[in-house]
Amino acid sequence: MSITSYSFLLFAGALLLLYYRTPLKWQWTLLLAASYTFYAFSGIRYLGYILATTLCTYFVSRKMGALKEYQEAFFRENKDILDREDKKLYKASVKKRQKAWLLLALVFNFGILAVIKYGNFFVSNIGALFGASGDAFFRLALPLGISFYTFQTTGYLIDLYRGEYREEKNFFRLSLFVSFFPQLIQGPISRFGALSKELYAGHAFDGRQVAFGLQRMLYGFFKKLVIADRIMAGLSTISGDPAAYTGAYAFVGMIFYAIDLYMDFSGGIDIVIGFSQALGITLPENFKRPYFAVSLKDYWHRWHITLCNWFKDYVFYPISTSPKLLARAKKLKTAGHAGLARRITVYIGNLAVWLFTGIWHGAAWNFIIWGLLNGCFLLLSQEMEPLYRKFYERFPGLSESRVFLVVRVVRTFLFVSLLCMFDYYANASVTLRAMAGMVMDFDFAVFFNGSLLSLGLSAADYVILLLALCLVFLVSLWQERGVAVREKIAAQAGPVRVLIWYGLFLCVLLFGAYGIGYDASQFIYNQF
């Protein structure tokens, strides 16, 4: 059930009505039933995967919690005979047993993900080493949101191991945390400590919050249907025949894909967060206007924020602060390599994060290359920071120049778009040929001789895209300057508010890209 389909609108509308007619203490049970109903629409057989992950997470979390409770009871009963060293040794023993359970859960949960999402990639590459056929060894359909709920349950278990909260003892409540259907579609990845308070608490009807949530959903539909789905026609033409559409066409495809990716992903997130807000539930923001970033580092502080934070907390820090790596750094420092010692922990942690980020995005070498390139360029940028500081000291006016700011924003946008070509094309070799073509075979006449009309987009489509992008740009610019747009609109007179929101509704209705297969349309991040 796509969240831009008519069936979803009926489902969401019915749930919203039932939700606020349900007693507050039972609202979470309605959400659980709705979540599993929604998930069943993606395929009844997929329920087994999410149930298996939930059962494993629940069982292991209870085991870890029981060990913690037993430790506390043991300390209370023996407080007069245990000294500090005894307690330390006992805590270490309990921690070791908790870690064993944690590792078991990680192997099981990530094992499901690895087999389904990466099994064929692994087997086909092993086969290629021995000259076997490159055909798929086996094919398994990817369950909806498997990467998202696997990462979310992993974060829950690791935080529990770290002692950040107590385990959830109610299996059905934990099931809701794992399966809450809006965020299953494409995130955001939430933390148990924050989301559980939102899910399990009752929410009385608040007209303002419901209105704000529906307004944000409408804006998400505008991004997805008017912009992303319309521009997809041109993208399909270019990527479908990369040998014919090279040079300037490849550049157009690069820009189109950057626009499509952001409008598709952020539009979906707007729908998800908006609908959750209408239910009284606050989800974490996942985007902060990434195409206003002035550097690659700034971009990744703005794009898919919850995923980046997840990798930072559960991959980067554990690796960069691991005892073995710190010991290695200490040896290097003792040997007189202080600079290398200072960098090695950060560099290895950083490259591990970006390797896993690439793998997370897809089971293909082009995603791995994309991830490692991001990591390498971020490290290169970090190494060049002293030069940047000297440059700004030499030219202090540049840091306050709006022209230079625009140059940095455009530069970052183009660079990020270039890297995203590894996602856009079928494989790395095609991507590299397309990049080379943009340098060796760039024909500016394509932009003026009407050739762009051969991509499956009419002149009217280009006009609609231009006007729609201008609207999104203006809204983003206001937000970047600290303007709360929905609050600003809410403060206007009634006729003005109606004109704005009804006008946006008409734009979606009249200019949305529907057509054949509309109900089956999928978001780019749907099956991550």
Side-chain angles (χ1 to χ4, degrees):
M1 186 195 302
S2 168
I3 59 173
T4 56
S5 64
Y6 298 122
S7 54
F8 174 78
L9 292 177
L10 289 172
F11 178 82
L15 175 60
L16 201 59
L17 290 174
L18 283 173
Y19 185 76
Y20 286 114
R21 289 185 173 274
T22 301
L24 299 186
K25 67 177 182 178
W26 297 115
Q27 284 178 338
W28 71 270
T29 60
L30 176 64
L31 290 180
L32 177 61
S35 295
Y36 269 85
T37 301
F38 179 89
Y39 205 81
F41 274 104
S42 71
I44 294 291
R45 64 189 185 279
Y46 298 143
L47 288 173
Y49 294 116
I50 194 169
L51 273 172
T53 297
T54 305
L55 284 166
C56 173
T57 302
Y58 178 74
F59 177 77
V60 169
S61 67
R62 291 304 308 273
K63 285 291 186 181
M64 293 167 65
L67 286 168
K68 180 70 173 178
E69 291 174 1
Y70 186 82
Q71 172 188 291
E72 292 172 349
F74 181 77
F75 285 169
R76 285 195 304 269
E77 294 170 3
N78 300 276
K79 61 181 179 180
D80 296 328
I81 60 175
L82 293 174
D83 59 22
R84 181 177 297 180
E85 188 63 26
D86 291 332
K87 290 182 177 180
K88 183 178 179 181
L89 290 172
Y90 192 87
K91 284 182 179 180
S93 174
V94 168
K95 212 67 177 173
K96 185 176 180 180
R97 293 164 67 186
Q98 284 184 322
K99 188 174 184 179
W101 282 110
L102 172 63
L103 291 175
L104 178 65
L106 296 185
V107 169
F108 181 83
N109 290 343
F110 275 106
I112 296 174
L113 176 63
V115 170
I116 294 173
K117 190 170 182 178
Y118 306 105
N120 188 65
F121 174 71
F122 177 77
V123 171
S124 61
N125 276 277
I126 293 296
L129 289 175
F130 296 97
S133 171
D135 294 338
F137 182 76
F138 59 85
R139 295 186 184 278
L140 292 172
L142 199 62
L144 178 68
I146 184 171
S147 293
F148 291 106
Y149 69 69
T150 300
F151 275 37
Q152 192 154 292
T153 52
T154 298
Y156 165 72
L157 288 171
I158 294 176
D159 287 345
L160 185 62
Y161 171 76
R162 291 172 176 175
E164 295 190 13
Y165 41 67
R166 294 285 189 174
E167 81 278 13
E168 174 53 62
K169 295 183 179 181
N170 186 314
F171 172 76
F172 297 103
R173 284 177 177 255
L174 182 64
S175 298
L176 176 57
F177 167 72
V178 178
S179 66
F180 182 52
F181 76 91
Q183 65 178 24
L184 271 182
I185 302 160
Q186 52 187 329
I189 301 171
S190 299
R191 306 297 175 91
F192 180 79
L195 184 58
S196 60
K197 297 174 184 176
E198 299 285 336
L199 292 178
Y200 308 148
H203 299 279
F205 180 81
D206 183 332
R208 180 181 173 87
Q209 290 302 308
V210 171
F212 276 14
L214 296 179
Q215 289 162 8
R216 184 158 182 178
M217 287 182 69
L218 180 59
Y219 188 50
F221 284 123
F222 177 80
K223 286 181 179 178
K224 168 65 175 171
L225 296 175
V226 178
I227 301 177
D229 285 359
R230 171 167 274 100
I231 210 169
M232 182 57 74
L235 277 171
S236 299
T237 301
I238 296 171
S239 64
D241 192 358
Y245 292 98
T246 185
Y249 289 110
F251 177 80
V252 170
M254 179 186 81
I255 301 301
F256 276 9
Y257 185 69
I259 295 171
D260 178 71
L261 184 64
Y262 176 62
M263 295 301 166
D264 184 285
F265 195 8
S266 69
I269 291 294
D270 284 335
I271 296 170
V272 166
I273 293 180
F275 183 64
S276 298
Q277 184 178 9
L279 295 171
I281 296 167
T282 301
L283 294 181
E285 293 293 339
N286 221 21
F287 289 95
K288 189 181 177 183
R289 301 166 294 282
Y291 289 156
F292 280 110
V294 296
S295 67
L296 187 60
K297 181 180 179 180
D298 186 26
Y299 171 83
W300 283 111
H301 285 160
R302 295 166 174 261
W303 180 280
H304 210 334
I305 298 168
T306 57
L307 178 68
C308 293
N309 288 338
W310 193 96
F311 275 114
K312 179 184 68 177
D313 291 343
Y314 303 120
V315 178
F316 177 78
Y317 286 138
I319 290 177
S320 60
T321 60
S322 64
K324 289 185 179 180
L325 194 54
L326 291 175
R328 182 60 181 169
K330 186 176 181 180
K331 288 182 180 179
L332 287 170
K333 186 176 181 180
T334 304
H337 304 292
L340 181 58
R342 189 170 58 252
R343 291 173 172 81
I344 187 171
T345 55
V346 175
Y347 282 17
I348 292 178
N350 182 290
L351 291 175
V353 162
W354 286 104
L355 172 63
F356 291 135
T357 301
I359 293 172
W360 182 86
H361 275 82
W365 283 108
N366 51 320
F367 289 109
I368 294 174
I369 293 170
W370 168 84
L372 290 175
L373 283 175
N374 271 281
C376 290
F377 281 115
L378 283 167
L379 290 178
L380 179 61
S381 178
Q382 183 176 324
E383 286 297 315
M384 294 180 67
E385 282 183 1
L387 293 177
Y388 296 151
R389 285 195 295 269
K390 290 181 180 179
F391 177 79
Y392 288 121
E393 289 172 2
R394 177 69 178 82
F395 303 100
L398 281 178
S399 61
E400 300 177 0
S401 168
R402 288 191 177 183
V403 173
F404 188 61
L405 175 64
V406 171
V407 169
R408 295 177 70 195
V409 169
V410 172
R411 174 205 63 184
T412 303
F413 170 74
L414 292 174
F415 184 71
V416 168
S417 302
L418 186 69
L419 290 180
C420 281
M421 290 178 71
F422 283 99
D423 180 16
Y424 168 45
Y425 286 103
N427 56 58
S429 60
V430 174
T431 303
L432 293 174
R433 284 197 295 270
M435 289 179 175
M438 287 195 294
V439 177
M440 306 297 294
D441 189 27
F442 199 97
D443 183 6
F444 282 97
V446 167
F447 298 102
F448 308 104
N449 61 13
S451 297
L452 295 182
L453 295 175
S454 68
L455 300 179
L457 295 171
S458 66
D461 286 321
Y462 282 108
V463 171
I464 292 170
L465 283 171
L466 180 61
L467 294 175
L469 287 170
C470 285
L471 174 60
V472 173
F473 174 78
L474 287 175
V475 171
S476 300
L477 186 61
W478 289 332
Q479 291 174 331
E480 189 71 7
R481 293 176 175 176
V483 177
V485 178
R486 284 177 295 172
E487 287 81 352
K488 189 81 171 177
I489 294 174
Q492 306 302 311
V496 176
R497 297 199 305 272
V498 171
L499 180 63
I500 291 172
W501 293 117
Y502 186 62
L504 187 64
F505 172 75
L506 285 180
C507 285
V508 174
L509 196 64
L510 297 175
F511 303 124
Y514 307 105
I516 298 173
Y518 163 62
D519 281 346
S521 63
Q522 296 292 313
F523 286 81
I524 293 174
Y525 273 74
N526 249 24
Q527 296 197 0
F528 277 18

